[in-house]
Amino acid sequence: MSSIYGWLSATETPASARLVDAQRDATRGLMAGSPQVARHYKAAGLGGHGLIAAPGIYQDGALLVIVDGSPQWQDPVLATMAQSHGDAYALAQGFLRQGRKVLGQMAGAFAVGVLQADQHYALLAVDRMGLRPLAFYRQDNLLVFGSQLEQLLAHPDVRPEISRQSLFDYLYFHMVPSPGSIYEGITKLQPGEFLEVGHNQATNGYYWQRRYQDSTASQQDLLAQLHGELEQATKQCAPDPKTGAFLSGGLDSSTVVGVFQKLSAQPVDTFSIGFAAEGYDEMDYARITARHFNANLHEYYVTPADVLDAIPLLAQTYDEPFGNASAVPAYYCAKLAREHGMTRLLAGDGGDEIFAGNARYAKQKIFDLYRHVPGFAKAMLEPVAASLPPLRKVKSYIEQAKIPMPQRLETYNFLHRAPLEDIFAQDFLSQIDSGAPLAQLQATYQRTGGDDLVKKMLFLDNKFTLADNDLRKVNRMCDLAGVTVQYPMLQENLVAFAASVPSKWLMQGFELRSFYRQAMQGFLAKETLAKSKQGFGLPFGVWMGADKNLKEFAEANLQGVAKRGFLNPAYIKNLIHLHQDSHASYYGVMIWLLVMLEQWLLVH
């Protein structure tokens, strides 16, 4: 995957930008965007020395435009320009005519920069889904931007410190969500967001936001329409003979394989990861889908030794702490594909977040029922439930139901399960805002407007679960393995279609993905349709309890992070004890987060 890097300074001209091949060389440990990585283009933006054009970059005099990705142009005139002269040229012409409003004409995956050095002007933006990242550093008269944080740090005037708030946010979210970053002063653009700098002023906002407006079509018409939308979305990912597909055996990866196979004249290559751990292995479902569609299935079983080998690679690859443990199987799956000659993979990420497939959606619908209970009934029920031990479950339900959304989603968050004073050092707590994560969730949740619980949760997950987490996971692991990745489920036509399906059909009652399952009858295997959601988890906590090397490695890293002074050492000791004597899988999650944090800090 390519990336962009550039800067604009009022004290030096010209402006500069690069388009960098961000493919990783895992054997040498090259980081994305480093100067050693093979090809780059550089253009100077002042002086009127004529036109410069290269893939993804365009310059004409003082105007310098750089595009990473493959935008889908909504304006037919700009689409024609892009086809004839490239996306950077089309963006330049659109910008000259419409200013920043041209961003509304762009869909698909992209990160862009428009620079006018003579006016000290810059416009930065990322795509609607956050498929391509972009971060920036702005201070005084300097603006530095790049797809990867390391690129910004390479500039001699960017010397930020580690953000303590972001350390807290990482442990809360298991990653550092945008707009924050692990470094003070560096900001990541959120999906559909822009930054405009000019005349010593900066403006940032959303040039586009997903609107949830129910279709007036009948349910039967929408069910029939879905198949066409899936085919169109898969075609837009332009699969070729060296394209394979992730296959976990769930609804989305199975659908992507099925549609891909329908469009292919030859059996497609699919790649699956298994675990020799009870409750984690889904290989049987992957085999069912492969047989159902007559696809080639390539399997690999990840071991504890593989996890130990992968952890340093992950710590080096991610430009800020990243705690999604399923990055490990994602890496080995992409690596398996590369070893079989694939250069591109189709991934099924996004289906649950557009068609309502996550278990928390049903759970929150149950809690939301209490909102409709009449006040007089609540006045009678609550005292009784609180006083009678047999009604403990009713009491617990009422307590959770009374927590407002989206705070209620975080009821089981590690940082809400114990007093913060037990987890963190007092000095650290005095320097952070412990309410900031919930404020971030609330701000995004409220942006949707309206009162549709399911659609508001989908919107929230599009930002935090997809853009900040799953896409970051898969993109980076595919980079590390040496393949590119495309997401059929996140193509604009399919996402817009899903947003138009009424919530009552997306989830009928408390059944997850009702609409989708109904539409896929006769296409997916019966076993796939009946399968409950499991995910792509890593049995780290279980393996840590059984594998001596993994246990020693984890505990050594826990001791290392304890010495850094921001955690309460007693909490870490208690965490180890709880993992050994209680729920290994549950407490293994926090141990993994701390191990990956320590490893990242050691490298970076």
Side-chain angles (χ1 to χ4, degrees):
M1 184 180 294
S2 60
S3 65
I4 62 177
Y5 170 56
W7 64 87
L8 181 68
S9 173
T11 60
E12 64 174 282
T13 56
S16 181
R18 294 174 183 170
L19 182 67
V20 184
D21 184 351
Q23 207 66 264
R24 311 298 178 87
D25 183 338
T27 59
R28 289 187 293 164
L30 293 179
M31 302 305 296
S34 64
Q36 301 96 320
V37 177
R39 66 178 180 85
H40 72 267
Y41 301 94
K42 183 175 180 180
L46 195 66
H49 297 304
L51 183 148
I52 297 176
I57 197 163
Y58 171 85
Q59 182 195 357
D60 188 3
L63 177 65
L64 174 61
V65 176
I66 185 167
V67 177
D68 170 36
S70 302
Q72 298 167 9
W73 295 92
Q74 311 292 294
D75 183 312
V77 175
L78 295 178
T80 300
M81 289 181 181
Q83 189 172 15
S84 301
H85 303 291
D87 292 311
Y89 175 84
L91 177 55
Q93 300 308 310
F95 172 77
L96 290 173
R97 299 174 190 181
Q98 303 177 37
R100 78 168 187 235
K101 290 183 179 180
V102 69
L103 297 172
Q105 301 295 333
M106 303 172 72
F110 63 84
V112 300
V114 178
L115 307 178
Q116 289 179 310
D118 58 342
Q119 299 180 41
H120 193 60
Y121 174 90
L123 176 65
L124 308 177
V126 295
D127 63 74
R128 301 173 177 187
M129 300 299 296
L131 292 159
R132 296 288 178 126
L134 192 61
F136 66 89
Y137 173 89
R138 180 175 177 269
Q139 186 171 353
D140 299 326
N141 294 316
L142 175 68
L143 173 70
V144 184
F145 61 92
S147 300
Q148 313 300 345
L149 301 186
E150 287 95 343
Q151 295 170 325
L152 279 71
L153 299 179
H155 194 282
D157 293 324
V158 179
R159 293 185 291 272
E161 300 291 331
I162 294 289
S163 166
R164 289 179 171 248
Q165 181 67 49
S166 293
L167 291 175
F168 181 85
D169 293 348
Y170 163 76
L171 292 177
Y172 192 97
F173 290 107
H174 305 184
M175 46 73 187
V176 182
S178 58
S181 82
I182 191 61
Y183 299 109
E184 295 280 0
I186 293 182
T187 301
K188 303 197 296 278
L189 288 177
Q190 302 176 78
E193 190 177 21
F194 71 89
L195 171 74
E196 188 173 41
V197 177
H199 306 293
N200 297 318
Q201 292 184 334
T203 303
N204 71 294
Y206 299 97
Y207 66 85
W208 182 92
Q209 176 172 303
R210 178 71 57 200
R211 300 297 178 188
Y212 293 94
Q213 186 171 355
D214 290 351
S215 171
T216 58
S218 70
Q219 185 176 10
Q220 285 304 120
D221 286 345
L222 290 176
L223 288 168
Q225 184 180 342
L226 175 57
H227 290 270
E229 299 290 350
L230 284 166
E231 287 194 27
Q232 180 184 338
T234 305
K235 289 177 181 177
Q236 286 174 347
C237 294
D240 59 26
K242 290 189 175 182
T243 299
F246 286 99
L247 178 57
S248 69
L251 285 176
D252 296 318
S253 65
S254 296
T255 298
V256 168
V257 168
V259 177
F260 184 14
Q261 186 62 75
K262 184 178 179 180
L263 299 173
S264 175
Q266 302 295 328
V268 301
D269 288 291
T270 66
F271 301 88
S272 299
I273 293 297
F275 306 100
E278 185 177 352
Y280 286 87
D281 189 35
E282 295 188 281
M283 192 65 81
D284 284 344
Y285 287 101
R287 292 166 183 158
I288 288 169
T289 291
R291 287 196 300 269
H292 184 71
F293 291 114
N294 194 32
N296 294 326
L297 178 63
H298 306 277
E299 304 177 6
Y300 183 80
Y301 271 77
V302 171
T303 67
D306 287 329
V307 177
L308 280 173
D309 289 341
I311 287 174
L313 283 175
L314 268 61
Q316 178 175 287
T317 299
Y318 286 101
D319 52 4
E320 55 187 354
F322 188 72
N324 187 335
S326 62
V328 173
Y331 166 64
Y332 281 106
C333 198
K335 181 172 179 285
L336 179 66
R338 189 70 183 93
E339 290 168 351
H340 281 80
M342 300 296 107
T343 58
R344 178 183 300 174
L345 284 170
L346 302 186
D349 297 79
D352 286 327
E353 290 76 26
I354 64 173
F355 287 110
N358 290 320
R360 56 184 170 272
Y361 303 154
K363 183 176 181 179
Q364 297 309 320
K365 281 189 73 175
I366 293 173
F367 285 127
D368 193 58
L369 292 175
Y370 193 69
R371 180 163 58 97
H372 304 286
V373 174
F376 73 88
K378 291 178 181 177
M380 295 172 59
L381 179 61
E382 291 177 9
V384 175
S387 61
L388 296 179
L391 298 180
R392 285 196 306 268
K393 289 187 177 180
V394 176
K395 178 187 176 184
S396 176
Y397 168 82
I398 292 173
E399 288 175 346
Q400 291 192 64
K402 292 173 71 174
I403 299 172
M405 287 289 287
Q407 182 179 344
R408 194 166 66 222
L409 291 166
E410 299 299 325
T411 303
Y412 293 98
N413 192 301
F414 278 103
L415 301 194
H416 290 304
R417 303 296 287 174
L420 293 180
E421 293 77 9
D422 292 350
I423 303 175
F424 298 98
Q426 188 59 49
D427 179 63
F428 177 82
L429 283 178
S430 68
Q431 299 178 61
I432 60 102
D433 177 3
S434 61
L438 285 177
Q440 286 192 58
L441 289 167
Q442 184 72 23
T444 301
Y445 188 76
Q446 293 302 330
R447 276 176 53 205
T448 54
D451 196 37
D452 188 321
L453 177 71
V454 171
K455 295 293 178 73
K456 289 171 82 75
M457 287 191 289
L458 294 177
F459 186 84
L460 190 73
D461 273 350
N462 269 262
K463 195 272 185 190
F464 288 94
T465 302
L466 283 176
D468 287 333
N469 200 330
D470 288 347
L471 297 181
R472 201 181 301 180
K473 172 193 72 179
V474 179
N475 286 342
R476 288 301 184 91
M477 292 301 93
C478 286
D479 277 351
L480 180 61
V483 296
T484 61
V485 61
Q486 293 282 346
Y487 302 94
M489 288 288 178
L490 296 178
Q491 296 301 302
E492 175 60 25
N493 71 294
L494 189 59
V495 177
F497 168 77
S500 75
V501 178
S503 296
K504 63 182 179 181
W505 296 340
L506 288 175
M507 287 181 62
Q508 295 182 15
F510 305 107
E511 182 188 15
L512 298 173
R513 296 188 72 155
S514 306
F515 175 86
Y516 194 87
R517 292 176 192 273
Q518 187 175 348
M520 292 296 108
Q521 296 286 340
F523 181 70
L524 295 179
K526 292 181 179 179
E527 297 90 339
T528 305
L529 288 167
K531 178 183 178 296
S532 59
K533 182 172 174 57
Q534 183 170 329
F536 203 29
L538 179 76
F540 173 77
V542 175
W543 281 349
M544 181 184 160
D547 186 270
K548 178 184 176 182
N549 292 333
L550 200 58
K551 181 175 184 292
E552 290 178 352
F553 178 83
E555 291 186 354
N557 278 272
L558 290 176
Q559 296 307 316
V561 78
K563 294 175 182 177
R564 295 188 180 273
F566 64 91
L567 291 170
N568 186 337
Y571 176 76
I572 294 179
K573 290 180 181 179
N574 188 47
L575 190 63
I576 295 172
H577 173 74
L578 289 169
H579 172 265
Q580 294 172 343
D581 299 340
S582 184
H583 199 308
S585 180
Y586 176 76
Y587 292 104
V589 173
M590 177 56 88
I591 291 174
W592 175 266
L593 292 176
L594 294 174
V595 167
M596 293 310 300
L597 176 58
E598 173 64 11
Q599 283 287 298
W600 188 89
L601 290 169
L602 286 172
V603 172
H604 296 273

